[in-house]
Amino acid sequence: MQPRHAWTVDEALAVIGRPFHDLLADAHAVHRARFDPHVVEAAILLSIKTGACPEDCAYCPQSAKWSTAVEAERLMAAADIVAAARNARASGATRFCMGAAWRSPNDRQVGQVAEAVTEVKALGMETCVTLGMLTREQAQRLSEAGLDFYNHNLDTSPEFYGEIITTRTYDDRLDTLANVRDAALKLCCGGIVGMGEHRRDRAGLLVQLARLDPHPESVPINLLVQVPGTPLHGTDKLDPLELVRTIAAARLMMPGSVLRLSAGRAQMTDELQALCLHAGASSIFLGDRLLTTPNPGGDHDSNLLDRLDTTVATV
Ligand code: SAM
Ligand code: DTB
Ligand code: SF4
């Protein structure tokens, strides 16, 4: 079947709203036709430049506009980044994801990150960075350095977006995605659920992702981590089954993309995570920290994966 890009929001809404067991059965069938359901990809995150970000993303503890417990840190030295990548490899991760709290890096900063990317790549790991908006030339520079994936999220639907971020537009994000694609980088692009959006917004996000041609190779679905001091702290919690429905619909709409159960796992029960993996997610972050917030960590995750007869991919 050809991947489909021309989805309408009403169609996506109908998929998300299908009878629960029909939705899950079909999503799981599509999933196991393409992926081994007993294998997950494992990545580890490192915040290489933390906090003091000029953007006003309402979910983010790293924005300078909110008063959170995050302490700002300058860009790490390449040697320290590579040391962290070695530890990540020893913990079983095959991909190392480096995140920087920038609106858009300057060329010097991109050059510094590019050097670190080349060294991490030389360890035999897949590399991913998320640095904010990029120009074509900057994306090209990272591609030449050996970068595999660029992470840049659409976060939510175009309609809800303005409630969450005002300092850059949806189109700015789409421009960066185009620049990343032009540089022949693989795309890691997804969003966040649980920000107070409606189901229609979750459908709208999936439509925007599915319209990207080709579909993003990697689609992170983050459950909002509510951080004290951010405007979204105290938002009504999302019904966890809505997360499962969103993942199942993403699996049906983007059958070949790796869906990543990303932020928010520390707030999920094991049973919810099991349902998300059944619905089509097959990638997680290992380790006890995401960028600035807690992640379940090694012992918890190896216990969970054991109980699900699941192993971590080795390539
Ligand atoms: N500054 C860059 C940018 O925003 O493009 C890169 C780093 S930013 C932290 C990467 C992504 O992390 C955001 O797009 C968002 O989807 C996710 N994120 C940030 N804070 C989060 C939170 N509290 N809960 C869930 N996801 C979050
Ligand atoms: C993504 O979609 N999720 C990851 C990664 N891309 C960079 C980040 C989640 C960050 C969660 C909040 C924090 O730890 O600061
Ligand atoms: Fe800055 Fe990225 Fe956080 Fe937005 S999500 S405030 S751009 S670090």
Side-chain angles (χ1 to χ4, degrees):
M1 214 174 68
Q2 289 294 319
R4 186 179 155 199
H5 300 282
W7 287 88
T8 66
V9 177
D10 284 336
E11 285 171 329
L13 201 51
V15 175
I16 297 186
R18 285 184 63 196
F20 186 78
H21 296 298
D22 297 346
L23 173 61
L24 237 67
D26 285 356
H28 186 70
V30 167
H31 184 58
R32 67 189 302 139
R34 303 249 185 172
F35 301 91
D36 181 340
H38 291 102
V39 175
V40 290
E41 279 185 8
I44 285 189
L45 273 165
L46 176 69
S47 181
I48 59 171
K49 185 270 166 187
T50 306
C53 182
E55 302 283 85
D56 68 353
C57 310
Y59 49 75
C60 186
Q62 301 199 69
S63 167
K65 311 224 188 261
W66 328 132
S67 174
T68 69
V70 170
E71 287 187 23
E73 288 168 34
R74 306 170 81 85
L75 179 60
M76 289 172 65
D80 296 334
I81 296 173
V82 176
R86 269 206 190 85
N87 288 337
R89 189 181 59 175
S91 314
T94 52
R95 190 176 308 165
F96 193 60
C97 305
M98 295 156 266
W102 284 319
R103 168 183 165 78
S104 49
N106 63 35
D107 290 346
R108 188 177 49 84
Q109 290 164 332
V110 169
Q112 287 173 275
V113 173
E115 281 172 28
V117 163
T118 303
E119 291 186 46
V120 173
K121 182 89 181 146
L123 299 176
M125 301 189 83
E126 286 184 319
T127 52
C128 178
V129 300
T130 180
L131 314 174
M133 292 185 283
L134 283 192
T135 64
R136 284 179 70 112
E137 294 69 28
Q138 290 175 333
Q140 192 58 43
R141 172 80 185 86
L142 290 167
S143 183
E144 283 159 11
L147 184 68
D148 295 299
F149 289 84
Y150 195 78
N151 168 241
H152 197 64
N153 291 336
L154 289 172
D155 278 348
T156 189
S157 68
E159 294 75 21
F160 191 65
Y161 183 87
E163 307 279 314
I164 301 297
I165 300 142
T166 69
T167 47
R168 67 175 128 154
T169 66
Y170 216 81
D171 281 344
D172 289 334
R173 292 192 184 243
L174 293 169
D175 288 347
T176 291
L177 297 179
N179 291 340
V180 167
R181 277 285 187 223
D182 285 349
L185 290 166
K186 286 186 265 197
L187 201 58
C188 174
C189 182
I192 310 178
V193 300
M195 298 193 293
E197 76 285 346
H198 292 115
R199 185 185 272 181
R200 190 171 186 85
D201 298 303
R202 294 187 282 280
L205 168 66
L206 295 183
V207 165
Q208 291 296 323
L209 295 171
R211 279 190 188 159
L212 299 171
D213 186 2
H215 292 153
E217 284 76 8
S218 180
V219 176
I221 307 288
N222 298 279
L223 177 64
L224 174 69
V225 180
Q226 296 201 11
V227 181
T230 60
L232 292 187
H233 184 240
T235 301
D236 286 347
K237 295 262 169 32
L238 181 70
D239 172 2
L241 295 179
E242 281 296 312
L243 169 67
V244 179
R245 284 181 180 276
T246 306
I247 290 172
R251 170 45 66 240
L252 292 172
M253 292 171 65
M254 294 170 282
S257 302
V258 173
L259 305 181
R260 321 181 71 198
L261 185 58
S262 300
R265 286 199 307 114
Q267 289 74 37
M268 294 177 202
T269 63
D270 288 351
E271 296 82 349
L272 173 60
Q273 294 184 59
L275 262 182
C276 292
L277 295 173
H278 190 78
S282 63
S283 173
I284 57 172
F285 287 117
L286 296 181
D288 55 15
R289 208 168 137 94
L290 293 164
L291 290 173
T292 68
T293 63
N295 196 44
D299 290 347
H300 190 105
D301 281 340
S302 44
N303 173 273
L304 174 61
L305 294 178
D306 277 353
R307 286 158 61 217
L308 298 176
D309 310 304
T310 295
T311 55
V312 168
T314 48
V315 280

